Amino acid sequence: MAASKIDGKWFREIDDAWKGYSISLEIEEVLYHEKSDFQDILVFKSTTFGNVLVLDGVYQCTERDEFSYQEMIAHLPLNSHPNPTKVLVVGGGDGGVVREVLKYPSVEQVVLCEIDQKVIDVSKKYLPDMASCLSDPRVLVHVGDGVKYMEENTQSFDVIITDAPDPIGAAKGLYTKDYYEGLKRALKPKGIISCQGETLWFDLDFIKKILTYCKGVFPVVAYASGYTPTYAGGHMGFFLCSNDSSINLKEPIRNYSNKELDDMSMKYYSPHVHRACFNVLPYFARKALTEVLDT
Amino acid sequence: MAASKIDGKWFREIDDAWKGYSISLEIEEVLYHEKSDFQDILVFKSTTFGNVLVLDGVYQCTERDEFSYQEMIAHLPLNSHPNPTKVLVVGGGDGGVVREVLKYPSVEQVVLCEIDQKVIDVSKKYLPDMASCLSDPRVLVHVGDGVKYMEENTQSFDVIITDAPDPIGAAKGLYTKDYYEGLKRALKPKGIISCQGETLWFDLDFIKKILTYCKGVFPVVAYASGYTPTYAGGHMGFFLCSNDSSINLKEPIRNYSNKELDDMSMKYYSPHVHRACFNVLPYFARKALTEVLDT
């Protein structure tokens, strides 16, 4: 775990994954700080980013910029699928991804598999814009280990979103080839997966490793980029794969108008962003990932 | 100026422009720290980002990620121009932008107008990969105020790049309508300007103000986005304008191959990035800028 700490009026995120670099947020008030069975959970009210959820010393989301991550990890796969009806979200106990999934009228059921009940509880209390959707009748919350869930699961899904923290501690198993094979088994035809994909500035070798797993398992593999200022480096990537080679992940199926985007309360995602986010990868990163990316 | 400070082994960038948010870099050694006639200049060797130049408490560049900014602000306009021969760079005494401009064989002269001789001097000493190009025979260094230069200038240029710090202190005059009118006067037919364009997360109102100036002065206006982890929010935008309505800023003229990009020592910019970087703007920002952007 990190040496991240509360330093006077600031929370500093310090982690070996981005050694020598740290993003701090100013604290107005610490709202919650406990160790659960799985991790250190901190929630504080910041002076300018709203409430902030920190797991094992690493930012998970802030009220001010969480939409950037939640919308990208959800709408890239959902708007590449012709008719998503059943969706699985692994991790994401804060509810932000589920909130986005429920924006698709075709979705009949969302299963959320979160390992840590405490994350769900504190999110309901301190991040209500994200977690309140968890009481929607279409949502089935399963508290348990995502890796085990995928091993034992017998259901199949149109879209599976892995909203995992960084590959340390509790989330390590969500970044293995076995896990990706489990995802493939759990997909319906025309199925799409989307997974948290780390940052190009600090994790390029790791990104390449995961994309290599993906390439070994899925016929269609892509890597998208988003901007999130409170994630180290300001960049957040997404691994996207489909088990159907006719699926084009890079072209949105529904070409939402501004009116439709507004009606869906969209703040980050748009068809413009969807088409561009695969191509904006800096050349050094594109080159490093050439062998494992569909370009 | 900022309350940024050296805090134990870390430099913390604190500024009212991104209140409550701060990026820190770990210091290995402070190499230079003096007040010039214009600003506070700090250079330190960081543990993981190479040497770092800080002006008035704000990161200007680090050796590890400077290429992202320099390549974008230079190649977006240069690779939208059919035959750039004469280029002006305002600011940018570190030499990074000039280095990129010199990659175009058609360029016969680059004028660099930098207000602060000290910035040139410390860059030559501590950022040699950027500043060594300043002794190239095609480069004419003019030490003086960029605003005054534009008022008195009688030359004309194919491309003008304003590599300005944030609009505080010395650089304030580089973000006025008068300055943009001066840029237009100094452009040859088919001329293109490119200016540092702040970050969408913290400066959206300011970006809109500048784009409104641009729109009042130029027939073609666009806003591009890049990733730079040591700039607040991890995002850096670019204002791009042309005085010729037939110029398409969003389509690169030279469709460089990987081999050509490698020969030019490119690390960030590519034709893929050029085409995508205008469309990757998050929806909330695109909406805010709708009235002033050519979409």
Side-chain angles (χ1 to χ4, degrees):
Chain A
M1 202 201 106
S4 310
K5 56 178 183 179
I6 294 170
D7 177 12
K9 280 196 54 107
W10 292 76
F11 174 81
R12 307 184 65 177
E13 183 195 53
I14 299 173
D15 197 278
D16 276 349
W18 40 86
K19 222 168 154 9
Y21 172 100
S22 170
I23 294 178
S24 304
L25 292 175
E26 194 179 12
I27 299 169
E28 191 169 311
E29 185 189 353
V30 173
L31 299 171
Y32 180 91
H33 196 180
E34 299 276 347
K35 271 197 196 309
S36 74
D37 291 343
F38 302 96
Q39 53 207 338
D40 182 275
I41 303 177
L42 166 69
V43 183
F44 66 89
K45 182 177 178 189
S46 67
T47 58
T48 56
F49 274 75
N51 291 350
V52 182
L53 172 65
V54 179
L55 298 181
D56 281 346
V58 176
Y59 298 124
Q60 301 303 304
C61 52
T62 83
E63 286 184 311
R64 176 164 163 189
D65 67 0
E66 54 87 7
F67 62 86
S68 59
Y69 172 80
Q70 325 285 2
E71 290 184 22
M72 289 294 274
I73 200 170
H75 297 292
L76 289 174
L78 285 160
N79 202 16
S80 302
H81 193 287
N83 186 40
T85 57
K86 201 165 165 183
V87 177
L88 170 65
V89 178
V90 178
D94 54 46
V97 173
V98 171
R99 177 192 65 201
E100 297 306 316
V101 174
L102 291 172
K103 291 179 178 176
Y104 285 72
S106 63
V107 168
E108 292 165 7
Q109 190 182 49
V110 193
V111 178
L112 175 76
C113 175
E114 162 64 49
I115 198 168
D116 196 341
Q117 179 69 47
K118 281 279 181 214
V119 170
I120 298 173
D121 295 343
V122 301
S123 299
K124 281 187 172 167
K125 186 157 182 191
Y126 299 113
L127 301 165
D129 273 358
M130 296 167 66
S132 59
C133 65
L134 295 179
S135 38
D136 186 287
R138 288 169 291 171
V139 179
L140 184 72
V141 176
H142 171 89
V143 177
D145 179 15
V147 174
K148 205 164 157 226
Y149 183 89
M150 291 312 298
E151 283 166 8
E152 296 170 357
N153 165 59
T154 55
Q155 299 180 71
S156 56
F157 301 91
D158 298 301
V159 171
I160 303 177
I161 299 168
T162 305
D163 177 14
D166 294 319
I168 45 171
K172 229 170 175 175
L174 303 176
Y175 295 88
T176 63
K177 188 153 186 245
D178 282 355
Y179 180 72
Y180 279 83
E181 281 166 352
L183 292 176
K184 190 176 183 189
R185 279 194 306 274
L187 280 181
K188 294 189 191 181
K190 293 192 183 302
I192 300 172
I193 65 155
S194 170
C195 304
Q196 197 263 83
E198 300 291 309
T199 173
L200 64 94
W201 291 106
F202 301 112
D203 308 297
L204 205 51
D205 289 343
F206 183 78
I207 292 169
K208 189 168 181 175
K209 190 177 91 173
I210 300 298
L211 285 172
T212 306
Y213 294 163
C214 293
K215 197 81 179 170
V217 174
F218 292 97
V220 182
V221 176
Y223 185 75
S225 290
Y227 292 100
T228 301
T230 54
Y231 289 154
H235 169 269
M236 177 52 74
F238 305 94
F239 304 121
L240 286 134
C241 309
S242 175
N243 58 357
D244 183 331
S245 56
S246 76
I247 292 274
N248 180 1
L249 295 166
K250 298 181 183 177
E251 183 59 37
I253 285 185
R254 301 156 199 89
N255 195 25
Y256 295 125
S257 66
N258 283 10
K259 167 81 170 65
E260 286 171 303
L261 293 171
D262 290 340
D263 288 347
M264 292 168 85
S265 302
M266 224 75 108
K267 289 192 251 177
Y268 192 101
Y269 176 88
S270 72
H272 284 100
V273 170
H274 190 135
R275 290 189 191 95
C277 68
F278 298 96
N279 286 314
V280 82
L281 202 64
Y283 179 57
F284 78 95
R286 172 179 289 272
K287 241 189 355 180
L289 302 177
T290 297
E291 303 151 34
V292 283
L293 269 186
D294 301 323
T295 48
Chain B
M1 202 201 104
S4 310
K5 56 178 180 175
I6 294 170
D7 177 13
K9 280 197 54 111
W10 292 76
F11 173 81
R12 306 184 65 174
E13 183 195 53
I14 299 172
D15 197 279
D16 276 350
W18 40 86
K19 223 170 155 7
Y21 172 100
S22 171
I23 294 177
S24 303
L25 292 176
E26 195 179 11
I27 299 170
E28 190 169 311
E29 185 188 354
V30 173
L31 299 171
Y32 179 92
H33 197 181
E34 299 276 348
K35 270 196 196 313
S36 73
D37 291 344
F38 302 97
Q39 54 207 337
D40 182 275
I41 303 177
L42 166 69
V43 183
F44 66 89
K45 184 178 177 187
S46 67
T47 57
T48 56
F49 274 75
N51 290 350
V52 182
L53 172 65
V54 179
L55 298 180
D56 281 348
V58 176
Y59 298 124
Q60 301 303 302
C61 52
T62 82
E63 286 184 311
R64 176 164 163 189
D65 67 1
E66 54 87 8
F67 61 87
S68 59
Y69 172 80
Q70 325 286 1
E71 290 185 22
M72 288 294 274
I73 200 169
H75 297 292
L76 289 174
L78 285 160
N79 201 16
S80 302
H81 193 288
N83 186 39
T85 57
K86 202 166 165 183
V87 177
L88 171 65
V89 178
V90 178
D94 53 46
V97 172
V98 172
R99 178 192 65 202
E100 298 306 316
V101 174
L102 291 172
K103 292 179 178 175
Y104 285 72
S106 63
V107 168
E108 292 165 7
Q109 190 181 49
V110 192
V111 179
L112 175 77
C113 176
E114 162 63 49
I115 199 168
D116 196 341
Q117 178 69 49
K118 282 280 182 212
V119 169
I120 297 173
D121 295 342
V122 301
S123 299
K124 281 187 171 166
K125 186 158 182 191
Y126 299 113
L127 301 164
D129 274 358
M130 295 167 67
S132 60
C133 65
L134 295 178
S135 37
D136 186 287
R138 288 169 290 172
V139 179
L140 185 72
V141 176
H142 171 89
V143 176
D145 179 15
V147 174
K148 206 164 157 227
Y149 183 89
M150 292 312 299
E151 283 166 8
E152 296 170 358
N153 164 60
T154 55
Q155 298 180 72
S156 56
F157 301 90
D158 298 300
V159 171
I160 304 177
I161 299 168
T162 305
D163 176 15
D166 293 320
I168 44 171
K172 227 171 177 173
L174 303 177
Y175 295 88
T176 64
K177 187 152 188 247
D178 282 355
Y179 180 72
Y180 279 83
E181 281 166 353
L183 292 177
K184 189 175 184 191
R185 279 195 305 274
L187 280 182
K188 293 189 193 183
K190 294 193 183 300
I192 300 173
I193 66 155
S194 169
C195 305
Q196 197 264 82
E198 300 291 309
T199 174
L200 64 94
W201 291 106
F202 301 113
D203 308 297
L204 205 51
D205 289 344
F206 183 78
I207 292 169
K208 187 167 183 176
K209 190 176 91 172
I210 300 298
L211 285 172
T212 305
Y213 294 163
C214 294
K215 197 83 178 169
V217 174
F218 292 96
V220 182
V221 177
Y223 186 74
S225 291
Y227 292 100
T228 301
T230 54
Y231 290 155
H235 169 269
M236 176 52 74
F238 305 94
F239 304 121
L240 286 135
C241 310
S242 175
N243 60 357
D244 183 331
S245 57
S246 76
I247 292 275
N248 181 1
L249 295 166
K250 299 181 181 175
E251 182 58 36
I253 285 185
R254 300 156 200 90
N255 195 25
Y256 295 126
S257 66
N258 283 10
K259 167 80 172 62
E260 286 171 303
L261 293 171
D262 290 340
D263 288 347
M264 293 168 83
S265 302
M266 224 75 108
K267 289 191 250 177
Y268 191 101
Y269 176 87
S270 72
H272 285 100
V273 169
H274 190 136
R275 291 189 191 94
C277 67
F278 298 97
N279 286 315
V280 82
L281 203 65
Y283 180 58
F284 78 95
R286 172 179 289 271
K287 241 190 354 181
L289 302 177
T290 297
E291 303 151 34
V292 283
L293 268 187
D294 302 321
T295 50

